[in-house]
Structure formats: structure tokens, C-alpha cells
Amino acid sequence: MAAVHHEKADSKTSSDTEGIPEKTEGPASSDKLKGGDDDYENLNYPSPWKFEKWFLGGYSQGRMIKFKKPKTMYKAINLFAGVAIMFYGYDQGVMSQVNLNPHYQELMGIAPIEGNSRNVAALGGIVAVYYGGTLIGALVAGSLADRMGRIKAVVFGALWALLGAVLQASAYNIAWMCCARVIAGVGVGAIDCVIPVWSAEVSSHSARGAFLAIEFFMNIGGLALAYWIEYFAYLDPNHEMAWRTPLALQIVFIVIIGFGINFFPESPRWLMKMGREEEARNVLRATRENDVEHELKGIKKVVKYELETSGANHYAAMLFPKDKYSKQLRWRVVLAVWLQIMQELVGIGVITVYAVDLFQDAGFGLTLSKLLAGFNNISYMFSVIFAVITLDRYGRRSTMVWGAVAMALELLVAGILDKYAQVKGPQQRSFGAGVATMTFLYTATFGATWLTVSSTSPSIYSQEETDRPRAMLTPRIRKTPWLYPTEIFPLNVRAKGGA
């Protein structure tokens, strides 16, 4: 999905002009960029961060895996990014049945759940504190990724996630579990903030969309995997291992991510920003099939301008701008943040975590409710493929609008049916079946519309607009939360924008 419907091909990639302000006619335009557009030799590159050596991992040209064909490298990068996204999905879904485990509830001091408002609040608090950790992790990793590179920032996140996973799997009281959840959240937030930025910058602009389906299929696949592992683990009479094992299995993903990222190329854009031109050229040669000099020149052009506007590379400057350039960044921050918030407010998080409770409230038994929730996750996973087929045909913005309308109607009908499904009688099962049907349709609609549209589409500008500098363009709201920041923010604040 490198271009939207009816967009014409153009020999110039969007990276050539990304982040550079529009030039004006007249004598002043030649002085817009110091030394002229073609003077790239005297750039004031930043010095390596003095604390960088204290962080583990990082890019090494000698250690980077090499393939005969760039296409193979590209597949490996996207497969690795898919594993990281799968881990995020797994971590989202892992608590869904842990919360229902009687041994877990007793050990945490939150049993019984039913009829006890204190215990219900405590259970929700254990789930919620994780997201506070992800906020902290994303903000910290966004800064670290700009200072010491994308790979080191991912390793940083993996170490926190590893500590959090070990502590969760070994928790013996609610305070322990809450601390473990926050620590794990810091790690997952860091990984989830940096991986989309890294994969977008390493990938070829024209081919990023090809692996969209795989990555988001794996994201929801991770959620479904966590659920079914817990379902079968619960069949074991040892209920303690039934909740500790799924939490411990997070370690497998974390080790793959934290160790494996060190064998992949660093972002060529970040390398160029740090003055490591030859390494950036080698990364492009490893991941591109065509001549890389044109793209390298485009990246240099962007770096030149953005180094000259590096005063905006702070969270405070992005939120409280003092100049025209920073004001543009604030508008992009508002777009990215509110679209993330809107994605969560449509209710998918509640369905994901509390699906079993929802089906039980609709009159189904515990075992059948668990099965329905599991099959709902599978349906959710396959709905992503449907989105990839239809997005280019109908457009991102239309898909989001009609997806929101459909989800609203499905939730409305489900709520009405659920009211009657909770009344015992001959029609209870029929109303419950209606609730289940609406729930399946809702999650499938979200997967086919908001999940993918709000995460992707490598170009937010039409191809004919890429001749105009992006910093002066108004982004079209047809590509939203997850990869949206990797495209609307300039290089010098891209990681912070992703955070």
C-alpha cells in the first residue's frame, strides 16, 4: 500500500523531501539552507552521547547479518518486526485468563471477586498499572532512540521487559505483581515505541505495505496465542502453574527481540544524522535492490535541514512551541495522540481483556465462555487480512468512518440484547447468542478497519504532493496511531513523536 487509490507513480521517493520546508521564490530562497542545498560536507553533526557506552547492545557493521539478495534482508527485517509486534499482542492478552485463575486471586488477596467492590477495583488496578509503565517506557525510549540509536533503545526495553516478566511469573502478593507489571510496561512501551520507527526507516518506501498483513496478523496472533496457551494450561489441575507459565513464556519473545535486534542494520537515517555516512550507505545497499545514491542524497538533504532545526528536538518544544517549525510539530503531536486515544475509546481493550466475563454475563457457562472468547480472537486475527485487500480500494478515511459507524451499531445492539440475556427464561440462550454474534462482528470490524487503518499506510501524502516539501503539508487523516508517527514526524524528532 505504498500509494492510495488513483495516485500516480513518481520516480522520487518521499524520503527525498521529508521534513524540509517549502522554498519560496526570490533571492532569499538560495539562503534558506545554510551553504546551499548541495553543501553537505560541513554539517555540524552531534557528538555521540556520553552515556551511550553504559547501555548494552547496538549496531555493528561486522555483526550485521548479510544476505545475497536485499529482498531476503527485507523479509528478515519485517519478520523480526512481526515477532516484536506479536510479543505486544501476547502481552496484551496474557492477563485475560490470569485474572480468572482462583489460585492467582487468592494469592493476590483479591478473592472473591463477585460482589466485592474492593477486590474488583484491585483486579482492575493490577491490569491498569501496566499501561502507566508503557507510558514511561515510551517517553524514555523515544529520547534514547534519538540519542544512541534505535537498536540500543530496543535492547534497553527488552532488559526492562525481561525483568518484568521474571517478576510477574514469580509474584507472591499484589504489591509484587503491581511493581512487576509497571516494570514490564516500561519495557514493552519502549519496544513498541521504537520498533515501528526502526522498521519503517530501514524498509524501502515502496515496499513497506507488502508486509502489513503479516505484521498485524502476527499482532493479533500473539493475543490469540496467549489466550489458547492459558486455556490449555488451565486444564492442568495445578492452577498455580496455569497462570505462572503463560507469564513466564513472555521471556521467549523478549530474548529473541533483545538478542536478535543486534544482528540487524541500524536506521540509515539515524546513522546519517550522526555523521556515519559510509555505514548508512552500506545499510541501504543491504536493503535496497536499486542504486542507493539518490536515496542517500535525499536523506542527507533532510538531515541538513533538521540538524539546523535541532532546537525542536525536545518534548517541551514539541508541546510548547516558540517558533513556526515547532508549532507544526505540536499539531502533529495532537493528531498522533488523539488518534491513539480514539482507537482505545472505541472499546476494543475491554473486549480483549474481559471477553470471558462478557460471554458469562450473556448467560454462557465458564467453559463455553472461554471457548467463545478464544474463537473470537481467531476471527479477529483473520479479519486483518480482509483489511489489506480492501483498504486501497475504498480508502483509509472512508474505512475508518464506516468502521466507526458499524462498531457503534454493533455495540448498541449487543448492549440491548445483553440486558435480556441476563434474565433467566426460555429466550435467554437466544439473546446470549445474539450478544456473541455482535461481539464477533465488532472485533472483526475493528480488525478490518481501525486496527489496520489506524496503524498503517506508508504514505500519508498523495504521490503528486511529494514534490512539495512535507514540513509545509497538512497530513491527511487516513493513517493513524501506530505507524502514523513514523511518517508525519521529521527525522530529528521521529522517535520522540512515536513515543
Side-chain angles (χ1 to χ4, degrees):
M1 284 180 283
V4 296
H5 195 47
H6 294 312
E7 289 174 358
K8 297 179 180 179
D10 195 298
S11 60
K12 203 184 248 189
T13 65
S14 64
S15 62
D16 294 341
T17 55
E18 186 174 346
I20 303 175
E22 187 171 18
K23 295 184 183 179
T24 58
E25 299 291 337
S29 64
S30 62
D31 299 324
K32 193 85 172 180
L33 299 175
K34 299 175 184 178
D37 283 351
D38 297 324
D39 181 12
Y40 306 120
E41 302 304 323
N42 300 312
L43 298 184
N44 185 23
Y45 293 112
S47 301
W49 190 37
K50 60 182 178 180
F51 298 111
E52 183 178 337
K53 62 182 179 181
W54 298 105
F55 289 82
L56 298 177
Y59 167 70
S60 169
Q61 191 170 321
R63 187 172 56 236
M64 184 182 75
I65 55 175
K66 297 175 177 62
F67 298 99
K68 291 183 178 180
K69 296 182 178 179
K71 185 178 290 187
T72 307
M73 170 66 86
Y74 179 70
K75 289 179 180 179
I77 290 169
N78 281 273
L79 179 61
F80 183 84
V83 171
I85 293 174
M86 188 177 192
F87 167 61
Y88 179 68
Y90 184 93
D91 217 59
Q92 279 183 306
V94 75
M95 291 300 291
S96 61
Q97 289 197 68
V98 168
N99 289 336
L100 302 175
N101 189 294
H103 180 274
Y104 170 80
Q105 293 175 0
E106 291 172 10
L107 196 63
M108 297 299 119
I110 56 175
I113 296 295
E114 292 184 11
N116 190 313
S117 58
R118 179 266 174 192
N119 291 344
V120 171
L123 181 66
I126 294 172
V127 174
V129 293
Y130 165 83
Y131 294 100
T134 61
L135 172 63
I136 296 170
L139 292 174
V140 172
S143 179
L144 292 178
D146 282 334
R147 290 174 179 269
M148 61 184 189
R150 310 332 188 193
I151 290 178
K152 275 184 175 286
V154 171
V155 175
F156 165 82
L159 291 174
W160 278 85
L162 179 63
L163 177 60
V166 171
L167 291 175
Q168 285 182 90
S170 59
Y172 273 92
N173 55 60
I174 190 170
W176 186 336
M177 177 57 81
C178 285
C179 290
R181 293 281 292 163
V182 172
I183 292 171
V186 170
V188 174
I191 293 171
D192 193 51
C193 161
V194 179
I195 284 289
V197 175
W198 170 76
S199 63
E201 291 181 338
V202 176
S203 300
S204 167
H205 166 74
S206 61
R208 288 176 201 156
F211 290 89
L212 166 64
I214 296 175
E215 290 186 356
F216 283 90
F217 184 86
M218 292 179 74
N219 175 238
I220 308 305
L223 189 150
L225 177 65
Y227 185 90
W228 285 105
I229 286 175
E230 290 179 306
Y231 177 83
F232 287 110
Y234 193 79
L235 300 178
D236 190 325
N238 186 343
H239 285 181
E240 180 175 9
M241 294 307 296
W243 69 266
R244 292 191 187 276
T245 301
L247 290 173
L249 286 176
Q250 295 175 91
I251 296 172
V252 176
F253 287 99
I254 296 166
V255 170
I256 292 173
I257 295 167
F259 182 73
I261 189 74
N262 295 284
F263 296 93
F264 282 91
E266 178 60 271
S267 161
R269 293 166 176 262
W270 183 82
L271 290 171
M272 183 63 73
K273 189 186 79 169
M274 301 303 294
R276 297 159 66 174
E277 180 179 341
E278 193 57 35
E279 290 177 274
R281 180 180 282 106
N282 289 333
V283 169
L284 289 176
R285 285 172 176 166
T287 56
R288 307 292 192 268
E289 293 185 326
N290 300 320
D291 181 65
V292 302
E293 293 305 319
H294 181 67
E295 184 174 354
L296 191 70
K297 184 178 179 180
I299 294 174
K300 269 185 169 183
K301 194 173 183 179
V302 174
V303 167
K304 176 179 172 62
Y305 172 72
E306 292 179 349
L307 285 174
E308 294 169 358
T309 57
S310 59
N313 190 11
H314 303 283
Y315 286 122
M318 294 170 71
L319 296 174
F320 307 103
K322 295 182 179 179
D323 53 50
K324 184 177 180 181
Y325 180 76
S326 297
K327 286 179 181 178
Q328 294 173 349
L329 293 181
R330 183 173 65 176
W331 171 238
R332 299 178 190 205
V333 170
V334 170
L335 280 176
V337 170
W338 274 103
L339 287 168
Q340 282 277 7
I341 292 172
M342 288 167 61
Q343 188 192 44
E344 292 303 315
L345 289 179
V346 300
I348 190 63
V350 176
I351 300 296
T352 299
V353 177
Y354 298 105
V356 177
D357 302 86
L358 187 151
F359 289 123
Q360 281 188 287
D361 288 343
F364 295 100
L366 178 60
T367 301
L368 184 54
S369 294
K370 288 182 176 181
L371 286 171
L372 286 171
F375 286 118
N376 184 46
N377 285 335
I378 294 175
S379 170
Y380 185 17
M381 179 173 66
F382 283 100
S383 69
V384 177
I385 298 176
F386 178 80
V388 176
I389 297 172
T390 60
L391 277 180
D392 278 343
R393 178 170 297 179
Y394 299 109
R396 280 66 163 167
R397 190 160 42 190
S398 296
T399 302
M400 287 184 69
V401 170
W402 288 109
V405 170
M407 286 188 289
L409 292 174
E410 288 155 3
L411 287 178
L412 176 64
V413 174
I416 295 171
L417 292 175
D418 190 58
K419 176 183 178 181
Y420 296 101
Q422 296 183 38
V423 179
K424 294 189 180 296
Q427 298 299 317
Q428 182 183 24
R429 197 60 177 265
S430 298
F431 286 121
V435 173
T437 301
M438 289 297 107
T439 303
F440 272 69
L441 286 174
Y442 166 81
T443 51
T445 302
F446 179 85
T449 58
W450 273 66
L451 173 70
T452 314
V453 179
S454 64
S455 307
T456 53
S457 174
S459 178
I460 60 171
Y461 307 98
S462 64
Q463 199 67 31
E464 61 268 22
E465 285 180 319
T466 56
D467 287 330
R468 293 181 57 201
R470 284 197 175 188
M472 302 301 291
L473 293 172
T474 301
R476 298 177 176 179
I477 306 177
R478 64 183 179 215
K479 161 185 175 283
T480 44
W482 294 106
L483 291 186
Y484 188 84
T486 71
E487 300 295 339
I488 66 170
F489 289 110
L491 172 64
N492 62 324
V493 295
R494 181 168 292 162
K496 290 186 177 69

